[in-house]
Amino acid sequence: MTLPPLHLLIGSYTATGGGNATGISIVDGDVVSTVAVLDDPSFLAVDGDRVYAVSETVDGGVHAFRRAGSALEHLWDAPAGGDAPCHVRVDPSGALVVTNYVSGTVTAVSLEAAEAYAVPGGGGSGGAAAGGLVHGVGGQGAGVSAALPDAALATEVLPDATGPDEERQEGPHAHQSIATPDGTVLVADLGGDALHEFRISADAGSVSIEPLRVHHVTPGAGPRHMAWVSGPVSGSVGGALGGDLVVAGELDGRVYRLRRDESGSFREVCATPVFDGPGVPSLLSHIEVDERGLVTVAVRGRDQIVVLDTADDGLRIVGAASAGGAWPRHFARVPGYLLVANQNSDAVAVLPVGDDGVPGEAVGQIAVGSPTCVIPLG
């Protein structure tokens, strides 16, 4: 089978986090190269020609780049506001939202302010690479620059909470944020079994995070990633969707379907385990919903991709397939294929997708060290 030409950015773990990469990788057809050298860029966000990367380290950071073809120009750094930032997203408010897993904190960065204070090429060291110039980031471990004023950043600490899993839920762990059609932001707290709702405001001079409410989920679920069932909301930015919310329970191996009630709280409509019976744990990671309402979720431990149908207000398993490698942490779609970042296989698997939404056997492997995030580029 002839693979389509692929143009991707790949986030990974480096030696700092026990991984095998050296930074952010770019895939341009058959060529894979390091395009930015920094510690543990485990999650990326792309908005136009801007690329944002976390550095998932102690006292972590977030880094901004300008993309030109297959090169990244380092623009600015900011503190993540906590330990082990694991997700970054451009919010419709004009803020960059960063969630910090270990410290259980959420940080918003005013992008308008950041752009005004950007220092092109600051902290970088250039070197030739197949895809263009490789830019390093100053202060690799912390990855923090004093370029941004204090008013351009705001950090909120999640309320202290624990869950029944004493090893994984000893405190709050912010894992992912998602925009809502109501103009707010939800943050999944794996440690506290909750979704925290905030209102974020940002302009050229300041940014703020206002806590609104806490939506509790089933104890022990360990909510990790979320996605909306319905289609895009008109005028939304960054993938904001409407309708029911599906949540991947990392710790209990269930997919949850939630819906707002008249009070504004999210209530469980249904929940489905991705696998029944004894065996290795089903540690859910990334989850997405396509335009047909089919839910795709990656399952670590079992190294599977599971597809569910949301018809009739339900969650019915359509099928499951091999992830094409070990420890599928993240995936992305391109027409006809699912690209799975298999962290422990040092490769991104290329899986053809059938008419029923279920992937087939891998038809290709893109060699890249400890991949944790895959972003298709237009």
Side-chain angles (χ1 to χ4, degrees), residues 139-167:
Q140 292 219 344
V144 174
S145 166
L148 301 188
D150 290 343
L153 299 96
T155 296
E156 187 72 21
V157 180
L158 298 186
D160 192 26
T162 59
D165 187 326
E166 295 181 359
E167 182 178 348

Side-chain angles (χ1 to χ4, degrees), residues 348-365:
V348 173
V350 182
L351 310 181
V353 177
D355 292 339
D356 60 357
V358 179
E361 185 176 347
V363 294
Q365 298 283 348

Side-chain angles (χ1 to χ4, degrees), residues 52 64 75-76 78 109-119 147-149 152 203-204:
Y52 305 100
L75 296 178
W76 53 265
V109 180
S110 166
L111 287 175
E112 188 174 357
E115 287 289 318
Y117 284 84
V119 182
L148 301 188
D203 57 31

Side-chain angles (χ1 to χ4, degrees), residues 203-228:
D203 57 31
S206 65
V207 63
S208 63
I209 306 176
E210 176 190 0
L212 299 177
R213 67 179 73 203
V214 180
H215 309 274
H216 296 283
V217 298
T218 300
R224 180 184 173 99
H225 278 200
M226 306 166 283
W228 295 101

Side-chain angles (χ1 to χ4, degrees), residues 12-14 16-17 23-24 37-44 52-65 77-88 98-101 137-144:
S12 299
Y13 281 125
T14 64
T16 300
I24 301 172
V37 177
L38 69 157
D39 286 340
D40 294 339
S42 63
F43 208 88
L44 313 174
Y52 305 100
V54 300
S55 184
E56 191 179 336
T57 60
V58 175
D59 192 20
V62 60
H63 313 281
F65 302 86
D77 306 323
D83 296 337
C86 60
H87 188 269
V88 61
V98 184
T99 48
N100 299 287
Y101 180 82
V137 174
Q140 292 219 344
V144 174

